[in-house]
Amino acid sequence: MTAEPSADGTVDFDAAVEERLTEIEASLLRAAEADTALVTEAAQHVIAAGGKRFRPLLVVLASSFGPRHDPEAVVKAASVVELTHVASLYHDDVMDEAVLRRGSPSANDRWGNTVAILVGDYLFARASDLVAELGPEYVSLQARTFARLVQGQIAETVGPSDGDDPLQHYLDVLAGKTGALIATSALFGAMVADADPDVQQRLARFGEEIGLVFQLSDDIIDITSDDTGKTPGTDLREGIPTLPTLLLRGYDAPGDRDLRRRLDGDLHDDAALAEVLAELRSHPVIDEARAQVGKRAEAARALLDPLPTGPAKEALVELCDTVVTRTA
């Protein structure tokens, strides 16, 4: 990374990270350009709406744990994982019949399902083009990651088999749908930096664990926050299992049984959804879910203990706190 030296002669790490993320943002928009104005507009739609850029940030931070300094490769690797993520959002929104994405109309709502699906495919293709420039090892890892992502989506669509623990099935789905790509984000960064193989694998394990924490935190936010850029209770309305609703199965008071019955019913009526949301927000299951997320964040933090001390490690440790306490 390059950044202006601070007064004491050290590099301002935060400024260096922000500089790289700015470069990645420009790279994403360039990668989404197409031969026609329509495809370019649709492909840049979700990117231009912004986002947390969690995966690119992990690439950048992990690239600090090795001796090699290659800003161009860092930007490419980060662009690959974020393009893959954004492409999956186009497909997710079609499957979920979402109308909002990051506070703006979803692509499927604006251009229709067919265009949204094809634009997602286009972004996957652009990610494949970029990853080929990094080398065969990166291509292979990207392909294996994509396979896990798809299998996770299929497992979610099909649901648990008879005798399966629904919560464990859900965690396995998240490991494929979310954890795999976040693990690859951290691993890509470490690979670009030529980090020690043990460090690479530790960062990949951290990425998968913090990815689960990130998604489980989203499960809570979907219920508790009105500031996510998505319609609150979208997962509830679509009958998608989440950590709080799965944990609710363990509560058996009469009011809990009635709440489960309504959760399993039709929540397309706004008033019915609002009522269920209000009850869940005040239910002890939210505190239980938060406790589980906090426990997993501590497990992720423990994976960082053997890594060299420095601003990159400090930023990853802070990330463990941020994903637990965020509200949007």
Side-chain angles (χ1 to χ4, degrees):
M1 298 178 200
T2 59
E4 291 299 319
S6 57
D8 62 1
T10 61
V11 172
D12 185 334
F13 183 77
D14 290 344
V17 170
E18 286 301 321
E19 178 183 331
R20 196 65 67 239
L21 290 174
T22 298
E23 293 170 358
I24 292 164
E25 203 68 28
S27 171
L28 292 171
L29 290 171
R30 286 195 304 272
E33 291 176 353
D35 294 338
T36 66
L38 171 63
V39 177
T40 298
E41 181 185 7
Q44 291 181 340
H45 180 67
V46 172
I47 295 170
K52 300 175 186 69
R53 302 296 186 248
F54 187 71
R55 293 155 188 82
L57 176 62
L58 274 184
V59 175
V60 174
L61 294 178
S63 72
S64 297
F65 288 94
R68 183 182 173 206
H69 176 72
D70 190 343
E72 183 179 352
V74 171
V75 170
K76 284 181 182 177
S79 299
V80 167
V81 294
E82 188 66 6
L83 286 170
T84 302
H85 170 58
V86 171
S88 72
L89 296 181
Y90 282 80
H91 291 179
D92 283 352
D93 284 347
V94 170
M95 295 179 69
D96 297 342
E97 299 179 357
V99 296
L100 282 179
R101 168 63 65 181
R102 295 175 179 170
S104 300
S106 62
N108 50 295
D109 186 65
R110 182 168 176 181
W111 288 285
N113 287 345
T114 300
V115 169
I117 290 170
L118 292 172
V119 168
D121 291 345
Y122 176 73
L123 291 174
F124 280 129
R126 297 296 294 126
S128 299
D129 193 21
L130 275 178
V131 77
E133 297 178 15
L134 292 170
E137 187 178 4
Y138 293 85
V139 173
S140 179
L141 177 56
Q142 173 72 358
R144 294 196 303 271
T145 302
F146 189 39
R148 284 191 65 193
L149 191 158
V150 172
Q151 290 182 89
Q153 183 63 67
I154 292 171
E156 179 182 68
T157 302
V158 173
S161 302
D162 290 342
D164 286 350
D165 175 12
L167 179 56
Q168 187 57 54
H169 176 269
Y170 178 62
L171 294 174
D172 292 341
V173 165
L174 294 189
K177 276 190 62 178
T178 302
L181 186 57
I182 295 179
T184 294
S185 301
L187 183 52
F188 266 8
M191 288 168 61
V192 164
D194 284 341
D196 181 273
D198 289 341
V199 171
Q200 291 186 24
Q201 291 309 309
R202 182 165 291 275
L203 285 168
R205 287 167 57 202
F206 169 80
E208 180 136 351
E209 190 65 42
I210 204 67
L212 286 175
V213 173
F214 189 82
Q215 183 56 57
L216 293 173
S217 177
D218 263 359
D219 285 357
I220 299 170
I221 290 170
D222 181 65
I223 293 170
T224 61
S225 177
D226 294 310
D227 302 316
T228 63
K230 294 171 62 179
T231 304
T234 296
D235 291 339
L236 300 182
R237 174 167 276 165
E238 298 303 322
I240 298 172
T242 63
L243 179 61
T245 60
L246 288 167
L247 291 175
L248 186 65
R249 307 294 168 181
Y251 290 74
D252 202 35
D256 300 323
R257 293 194 293 271
D258 178 66
L259 181 55
R260 286 199 301 271
R261 178 186 58 77
R262 284 179 289 137
L263 276 170
D264 293 336
D266 187 354
L267 290 177
H268 285 85
D269 178 74
D270 289 344
L273 178 63
E275 184 177 323
V276 166
L277 275 173
E279 288 191 39
L280 279 173
R281 287 173 177 179
S282 62
H283 195 283
V285 76
I286 298 299
D287 288 335
E288 183 183 356
R290 286 186 173 129
Q292 290 213 11
V293 170
K295 184 177 179 180
R296 284 185 169 273
E298 285 302 314
R301 189 199 307 272
L303 289 168
L304 301 173
D305 288 344
L307 295 180
T309 301
K313 179 178 177 178
E314 291 173 6
L316 291 176
V317 169
E318 183 179 348
L319 200 59
C320 295
D321 295 328
T322 302
V323 294
V324 173
T325 58
R326 68 193 180 95
T327 58

